Amino acid sequence: MTTLLETRYRTVLRLLPAYYRREREEEMVETYLWDVDRDLQDQSRPTVGEVASIAALAVRCRLGAPGAPRRYALLGSVVRLFALSALLLQAATAVVEPVLQLTWAFTHGASGRQMFLTEFTGRSTTDTVAAVLTRTLPLLWPVAYFALLHDHRRLARWAALGAALPSLWPLFRVIAPAGDGMPPGLPWYDTSAALLAWLPALALCAAYHRDAPEARLPGGSPGLVFLAACVVTGGSLVLLPGVADLVWAPATGFVVGALGWLLWRARGTDRTSPGAGLALAALGLLLLAVRVAALYPWLHVPGAGAILGGGLGQAAALALLTVALAVVGGRDLARR
């Protein structure tokens, strides 16, 4: 006779994919019920730790665990490549933007330095601490990038989660205004920017589990690829400062990188990891959402023609590249 506890365990185990349940469900149920008195099984429930463990196993099984069907292996490859590509983009932006801001501030005399320091002075303690953390925590993106490519996965996970934390501060200010006279942020942009930070961080935590293969770049060493990304993102800000906003540098880095991958792919080589096109398409779609959200407030601002023109051109390039990457990625998967 089936007890209530057994039914509850089987319900939780439905989180696991069907192929895994067929092989292991009976064994797992027996293990969970082994040391529980049968008279108490109708009053017991799975513990929070057991449910969390099963949920983590379900994610691992669906993202390319050993013995997983082909579709789960491909899904895991796509998510891992998405996380790695986004990590590279975030790491380059996190280094380039503060370097250029500091360079500008300390090459424009006392007024430039004062303008930079006003971000941290004359404000409430909470806002000052938030401003410092907003400046420093994103520097963990390069730490996560290099840690992942050197197979230090735990360090990479914690660094990525820490680097994503500042993206929550604008959302917190919208939900709970501080009452200090500071204007609220832009909800659509703040939300999309938080997704751009947190989705790669969570994808990194989920897809680079202990059974996943090591992270590898399609071509070049981690340092050279990172340097190239910094040159592209930084060059876009230096060459076109009149059209640059918060999204300009990472979006430009993606456009150049995606074009380079498509050209390399057109050469006919078949050394790319499966799902690379779809991973880049997913990142492109996310960047397009951030690009549109950042552009919308400028639509009614007089004299913003340069920013609008650059932003619209960049949005069109992102849209076209995302479609092209999705088509190429779908064909690659079908051929494989």
Side-chain angles (χ1 to χ4, degrees):
M1 181 178 178
T2 303
T3 63
L4 187 57
L5 181 59
E6 179 180 347
T7 301
R8 287 168 174 164
Y9 273 120
R10 292 187 185 277
T11 300
V12 176
L13 289 174
R14 290 184 67 83
L15 294 171
L16 298 169
Y19 83 91
Y20 196 91
R21 292 202 310 272
R22 283 194 298 269
E23 297 177 2
R24 302 287 181 84
E25 182 174 2
E26 298 303 324
E27 176 186 350
M28 295 178 73
V29 170
E30 290 180 5
T31 301
Y32 284 129
L33 298 177
W34 178 260
D35 58 351
V36 181
D37 191 284
R38 188 172 182 85
D39 295 335
L40 301 176
Q41 289 186 13
D42 285 333
Q43 289 81 38
S44 302
R45 295 177 179 274
T47 65
V48 174
E50 290 170 340
V51 174
S53 176
I54 293 171
L57 178 61
V59 172
R60 191 161 68 247
C61 290
R62 286 184 165 86
L63 294 178
R70 177 176 175 273
R71 65 180 183 275
Y72 292 128
L74 290 175
L75 177 61
S77 178
V78 170
V79 176
R80 283 189 291 274
L81 288 169
F82 165 78
L84 181 57
S85 303
L87 212 61
L88 170 61
L89 208 58
Q90 296 277 20
T93 306
V95 169
V96 165
E97 288 187 346
V99 168
L100 292 179
Q101 289 172 354
L102 286 172
T103 301
W104 183 92
F106 287 90
T107 54
H108 283 71
S111 60
R113 292 191 294 272
Q114 182 61 29
M115 186 179 297
F116 176 77
L117 292 175
T118 52
E119 185 175 347
F120 309 98
T121 58
R123 308 170 66 179
S124 66
T125 302
T126 301
D127 284 341
T128 300
V129 172
V132 172
L133 294 179
T134 300
R135 289 287 186 179
T136 55
L137 285 181
L139 295 176
L140 291 173
W141 285 119
V143 176
Y145 167 77
F146 284 105
L148 180 62
L149 287 169
H150 287 85
D151 207 31
H152 300 297
R153 303 187 185 189
R154 178 173 295 181
L155 174 59
R157 294 188 197 107
W158 285 111
L161 292 173
L165 281 176
S167 65
L168 297 179
W169 176 243
L171 295 177
F172 177 76
R173 287 186 62 89
V174 172
I175 297 172
D180 54 1
M182 295 292 291
L186 304 170
W188 289 111
Y189 170 75
D190 294 336
T191 302
S192 59
L195 289 175
L196 181 59
W198 281 98
L199 287 181
L202 295 177
L204 167 63
C205 294
Y208 282 99
H209 48 76
R210 65 185 179 211
D211 298 322
E214 293 183 8
R216 297 178 184 272
L217 291 168
S221 66
L224 287 176
V225 173
F226 176 72
L227 179 61
C230 289
V231 170
V232 171
T233 54
S236 70
L237 295 173
V238 173
L239 295 177
L240 296 169
V243 301
D245 59 3
L246 295 175
V247 193
W248 181 259
T252 302
F254 173 82
V255 168
V256 174
L259 279 174
W261 182 85
L262 285 173
L263 293 174
W264 181 66
R265 169 67 179 73
R267 294 173 56 188
T269 57
D270 194 26
R271 294 175 295 173
T272 57
S273 302
L278 293 181
L280 289 174
L283 180 56
L285 185 62
L286 186 56
L287 280 167
L288 179 60
V290 183
R291 171 74 278 172
V292 172
L295 195 60
Y296 179 77
W298 293 98
L299 293 177
H300 306 290
V301 176
I307 292 180
L308 283 174
L312 289 173
Q314 199 175 60
L318 286 170
L320 291 174
L321 278 173
T322 299
V323 172
L325 290 165
V327 171
V328 172
R331 289 178 178 175
D332 284 347
L333 292 186
R335 185 168 58 253
R336 287 175 182 273

